[in-house]
Amino acid sequence: MNQDNLYSKIYQRDNLEASWLMVRKNKGSAGIDFQTIAKVETKLEDIIDNLQVKLINNQYYPKPVKRVYIPKPNGKLRPIGIPTVQDRIVQQATRGIIEPILDSKFEDFSYGFRPGKSAKQALAKIEELLKEKQRWVVQIDLSNFFDSIPHEVIMSKLKEQVQEDRIINLVRNFLNSGIMEEGYKRLVTTGTPQGGVISPLLANLVLDTLDKYVKSHGYLGMVRYADDFVILTKSKGRANHIAKEVIAVLDKLGLKINEEKTSIRHLAETFTFLGYTFGGGKYYQGEGGIKIARIWKKPSAKAIQVLKGKIRKLTRRQQPRNISMLIDNLNPVIRGWYNYFQHGRNRSRFEEIDGWYRMRLRSFIHKKKSYQDNLKYPNSFFKEQGYLFLVDLFAMSISEMNKPKSF
């Protein structure tokens, strides 16, 4: 894309309107101005007009992001920054213009938050590398990545790719807008908040420095999804060497390493990436090193924990839902989880999860007034009601695969 007058493309009305549609599609809550997506929609024409005028006259300044915390599976809290809906529109409008320029320079082994890339492709690449016997795994965890990227690093990398001062200033204003927490505004010099529309693009821009270093030094076994990445290689010595160099690059970028979650291990010890645990069963140590009889992957313990957490929330006994409403809420959760985790050695895990799931359902139903007669609820009851279960979805997939092809 020609970089001449890119800034003017940001405030074009069709771009702002298309950006609004993306923001509305992605939903999300209100920022510090309490303006929900529904409220913004009622006065959308005036808001677009106002944003356009401010952007044209260099008078647009984003509001601080609202800091909220969401629980993680380990019981800790993850900080999220929520921009106002209007600021999300402008971020999306900016991202839509500069992303084609930045993304075209990114490396192929970066899969997170990129057009045409996906987690499934990243997982497929992992399996490809493992089959090539690259089974020593370097896994480096970045501590509080999104909140800790130095602003000067982001701006330096952006200036290398975008040569328009007004765009540079606009992104700088996003970063400098500050955080509103418990009624107090706090200015920050690091971080691009998780929850910001443009944050994933800026994160990829920073970590592209690491990608290019890895590629230029011939470490071709890297797979990265945002700040989650692994590097696969064929020997422990090479793995140790790569780890030291990668940590040095990250240190120069001002990023912090979580040493507790950073490791160098062989496939035989298993490793987890993007929700899947990879491993190799039945191995032995011989003159040629560790031998693997087979390679497998399955949903990680954390991924199962997350699914169970969602089911628990929807089947709390205090919930005033009837059975039909419960099915409408639970089935998409089960189907979505299955669609992602259907590949691998899963049947026994699916059976285990289904058993636990039915136990939750029985407990939920038993406490409802219309079921106080203590009836028993066999597995067939839930199928008749329309509940989806992982094993049934698995069987349906196998059946579909085995159907004779028609020509």
Side-chain angles (χ1 to χ4, degrees), residues 119-131:
K120 288 186 177 181
Q121 290 174 344
L123 292 166
K125 184 62 178 180
I126 292 285
E127 292 188 277
E128 178 185 321
L129 292 167
L130 291 173
K131 289 175 182 176

Side-chain angles (χ1 to χ4, degrees), residues 43-239:
K43 46 190 176 182
L44 182 63
E45 292 295 318
D46 290 340
I47 286 173
I48 295 292
D49 287 341
N50 186 47
L51 289 176
Q52 189 174 43
V53 169
K54 287 183 175 180
L55 287 165
I56 289 172
N57 296 313
N58 299 318
Q59 295 173 340
Y60 166 78
Y61 295 99
K63 290 180 169 59
V65 300
K66 181 170 72 174
R67 172 56 58 88
V68 298
Y69 295 87
I70 60 173
K72 297 167 68 174
N74 61 7
K76 295 182 180 180
L77 296 175
R78 182 192 305 278
I80 298 293
I82 304 175
T84 67
V85 175
Q86 292 189 45
D87 289 338
R88 300 207 293 268
I89 293 172
V90 179
Q91 284 195 25
Q92 180 61 49
T94 306
R95 177 177 176 170
I97 298 304
I98 67 173
E99 185 170 53
I101 297 170
L102 303 183
D103 191 82
S104 66
K105 308 290 179 60
F106 293 161
E107 300 301 330
D108 288 341
F109 52 78
S110 168
Y111 293 89
F113 307 108
R114 295 185 59 194
K117 298 279 191 173
S118 69
K120 288 186 177 181
Q121 290 174 344
L123 292 166
K125 184 62 178 180
I126 292 285
E127 292 188 277
E128 178 185 321
L129 292 167
L130 291 173
K131 289 175 182 176
E132 294 172 357
K133 298 186 178 180
Q134 300 193 57
R135 296 174 186 174
W136 280 97
V137 184
V138 178
Q139 194 158 27
I140 297 174
D141 187 80
L142 295 174
S143 181
N144 298 320
F145 171 67
F146 280 90
D147 277 349
S148 65
I149 312 172
H151 287 175
E152 64 267 23
V153 173
I154 297 174
M155 298 312 302
S156 173
K157 300 303 174 185
L158 184 62
K159 288 175 184 177
E160 291 175 7
Q161 305 297 335
V162 177
Q163 284 79 47
E164 280 200 29
D165 288 343
R166 292 211 289 176
I167 290 181
I168 299 299
N169 291 335
L170 181 58
V171 174
R172 183 182 288 111
N173 287 339
F174 291 144
L175 297 176
N176 292 341
S177 62
I179 293 169
M180 187 72 76
E181 188 171 6
E182 297 182 348
Y184 294 95
K185 180 180 177 179
R186 176 164 55 88
L187 297 179
V188 293
T189 58
T190 63
T192 177
Q194 281 186 278
V197 176
I198 204 168
S199 293
L201 178 61
L202 298 180
N204 273 331
L205 175 64
V206 170
L207 287 177
D208 185 60
T209 300
L210 172 64
D211 297 346
K212 286 183 167 37
Y213 179 90
V214 167
K215 183 178 180 180
S216 67
H217 284 71
Y219 308 145
L220 303 181
M222 182 165 172
V223 180
R224 183 171 69 79
Y225 193 94
D227 60 322
D228 195 2
F229 66 91
V230 292
I231 304 174
L232 280 65
T233 188
K234 291 187 177 182
S235 73
K236 185 176 183 179
R238 188 164 172 80

Side-chain angles (χ1 to χ4, degrees), residues 29-42:
S29 58
I32 65 168
D33 61 355
F34 304 104
Q35 296 295 299
T36 63
I37 286 177
K39 285 184 179 179
V40 168
E41 190 161 23
T42 63

Side-chain angles (χ1 to χ4, degrees), residues 6 9 25 130 214 343:
L6 281 176
K9 299 179 186 297
K25 179 181 177 182
L130 291 173
V214 167
H343 306 290

Side-chain angles (χ1 to χ4, degrees), residues 294-358:
R294 65 181 183 277
I295 299 170
W296 51 260
K297 67 177 182 182
K298 59 187 178 183
S300 69
K302 181 178 177 181
I304 293 173
Q305 187 180 357
V306 170
L307 173 63
K308 287 184 175 181
K310 292 179 180 179
I311 293 173
R312 282 192 189 97
K313 185 176 180 180
L314 292 170
T315 56
R316 287 175 182 161
R317 294 173 182 176
Q318 304 94 322
Q319 297 279 12
R321 294 186 175 93
N322 59 36
I323 299 301
S324 177
M325 291 173 64
L326 194 64
I327 292 171
D328 290 342
N329 283 279
L330 284 168
N331 279 1
V333 172
I334 297 297
R335 186 180 292 280
W337 197 87
Y338 172 80
N339 285 343
Y340 185 78
F341 288 105
Q342 62 180 297
H343 306 290
R345 291 175 53 198
N346 292 331
R347 185 173 182 89
S348 62
R349 284 209 160 184
F350 286 173
E351 290 173 346
E352 177 187 342
I353 295 168
D354 284 347
W356 176 89
Y357 178 30
R358 281 189 287 266

